[in-house]
């Protein structure tokens, strides 16, 4: 839990999943916990790497009805200077009747976090960074349309009023929504167990790299070497970022 909250957003989904059984675990749950420990033991140098220039904004996603109780898992991540500064993976409080509704409820949590982060950065005098965090990317066109439509329809009147405050901030232009393809949705790592290629890709998207590679980068820079590291090149191609500093 300490690692997940501090520097390892890549284990957020796994930790939130096993935490649901902390009051009455059995051998299956203990096996899952040991797998998390083995993963951390095998990646001790992995950490968040912030760059001078890099992707910024929020990503939010939800996996509809994935739980045994049919409640969805929602998650978000906010990026600044190429790496995550805030992330969350949590089971939603109510059952969503559609994927659009599940994404809309996940978007609500992301909007609340965005507003808090914008206020914090404004207090710190970082106005430019504050505006960057007003952009939220989501991979569900229906949820975007629902947030931008001020009218209440029969299909959405059952949704709790707390979720509709998203519309207020979209109308006031404090929050800007944009579509992001599912294959590029970084927050997908917070909603479900992913195959290894997708998991690795979204790790790079979160700004998680092997810090031993990062130290090697500095050594090459100090010695004047022009050789490029394939891991860093893969990250640049995935995120559009430059080298780490």
């Amino acid at each position: 839990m300490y690692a997940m909250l501090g520097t390892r957003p890549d284990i957020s989904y796994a930790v939130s999943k096993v935490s649901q059984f902390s009051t009455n675990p059995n051998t299956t749950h203990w096996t899952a916990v040991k797998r998390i420990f083995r993963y951390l033991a095998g990646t001790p140098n992995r950490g968040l790497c912030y760059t001078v220039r890099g992707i910024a904004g929020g990503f939010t996603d939800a996996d509809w009805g994935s739980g045994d109780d049919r409640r969805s898992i929602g998650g978000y991540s906010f990026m600044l200077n190429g790496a995550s500064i805030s992330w969350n993976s949590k089971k939603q409080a109510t059952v969503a009747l559609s994927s659009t509704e599940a994404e809309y409820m996940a978007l609500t949590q992301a909007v609340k976090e965005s507003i808090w982060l914008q206020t914090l950065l404004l207090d710190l005098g970082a106005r430019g960074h504050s505006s960057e965090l007003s952009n939220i990317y989501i991979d569900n066109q229906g949820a975007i349309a629902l947030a931008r439509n001020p009218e209440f329809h029969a299909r959405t009147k059952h949704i709790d009023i707390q979720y509709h405050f998203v519309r207020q901030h979209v109308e006031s232009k404090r929050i800007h929504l944009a579509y992001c393809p599912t294959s590029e949705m970084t927050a997908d790592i917070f909603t479900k167990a992913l195959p290894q290629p997708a998991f690795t890709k979204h790790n790079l998207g979160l700004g998680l790299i092997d810090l031993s590679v990062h130290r090697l980068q500095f050594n090459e820079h100090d010695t004047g070497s022009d050789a490029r590291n394939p891991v860093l090149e893969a990250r640049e191609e995935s995120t559009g970022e430059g080298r780490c500093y």
Side-chain angles (χ1 to χ4, degrees):
M1 183 71 75
Y2 178 78
M4 182 269 289
L5 292 174
T7 61
R8 299 299 299 267
D10 52 334
I11 64 172
S12 295
Y13 173 77
V15 171
S16 67
K17 197 71 174 178
V18 297
S19 296
Q20 299 175 33
F21 307 97
S22 58
T23 57
N24 186 27
N26 58 32
T27 55
T28 301
H29 307 127
W30 177 236
T31 300
V33 170
K34 288 194 292 184
R35 292 192 64 178
I36 299 174
F37 286 154
R38 284 199 296 268
Y39 172 69
L40 290 175
T43 56
N45 293 320
R46 186 165 297 174
L48 295 168
C49 179
Y50 300 93
T51 63
V52 176
R53 297 182 304 276
I55 189 171
F59 295 83
T60 178
D61 195 20
D63 187 28
W64 179 40
S66 59
D68 294 336
D69 54 3
R70 312 310 296 170
R71 287 191 289 170
S72 305
I73 303 293
Y76 62 75
S77 174
F78 282 89
M79 315 283 292
L80 198 61
N81 284 5
S84 295
I85 61 171
S86 176
W87 55 86
N88 179 267
S89 176
K90 187 177 181 180
K91 181 182 288 189
Q92 295 178 350
T94 58
V95 176
L97 300 181
S98 66
S99 59
T100 293
E101 186 176 331
E103 298 271 6
Y104 189 59
M105 291 192 289
L107 175 61
T108 301
Q109 304 306 317
V111 168
K112 291 193 289 187
E113 184 70 8
S114 175
I115 293 172
W116 184 84
L117 289 172
Q118 289 183 58
T119 303
L120 175 63
L121 290 173
L122 286 174
D123 289 342
L124 297 174
R127 184 174 297 274
H129 289 313
S130 175
S131 62
E132 292 177 330
L133 294 181
S134 66
N135 300 312
I136 298 179
Y137 299 92
I138 185 170
D139 64 355
N140 188 288
Q141 297 278 18
I144 295 176
L146 186 59
R148 291 175 175 171
N149 191 342
E151 298 181 2
F152 290 84
H153 297 286
R155 291 186 178 181
T156 62
K157 65 182 181 181
H158 65 279
I159 299 178
D160 196 308
I161 191 66
Q162 65 169 318
Y163 300 117
H164 287 303
F165 98 110
V166 173
R167 293 175 176 171
Q168 174 186 342
H169 294 290
V170 171
E171 290 175 4
S172 67
K173 301 188 184 303
R174 190 172 186 182
I175 295 295
H176 306 280
L177 301 181
Y179 176 75
C180 175
T182 301
S183 61
E184 303 298 325
M185 175 50 64
T186 302
D188 202 28
I189 198 173
F190 299 116
T191 64
K192 63 177 76 71
L194 297 174
Q196 194 273 335
F199 185 78
T200 300
K201 177 179 180 179
H202 292 317
N203 268 349
L204 293 172
L206 289 171
L208 279 166
I209 68 168
D210 192 323
L211 296 182
S212 61
V213 175
H214 182 55
R215 288 191 290 269
L216 178 61
Q217 166 83 25
F218 275 105
N219 292 336
E220 292 177 352
H221 179 72
D222 292 339
T223 57
S225 173
D226 293 329
R228 297 302 303 275
N229 189 286
V231 176
L232 293 179
E233 289 180 350
R235 184 188 176 199
E236 291 172 11
E237 293 175 0
S238 175
T239 63
E241 300 176 29
R243 289 191 174 192
C244 287
Y245 297 95

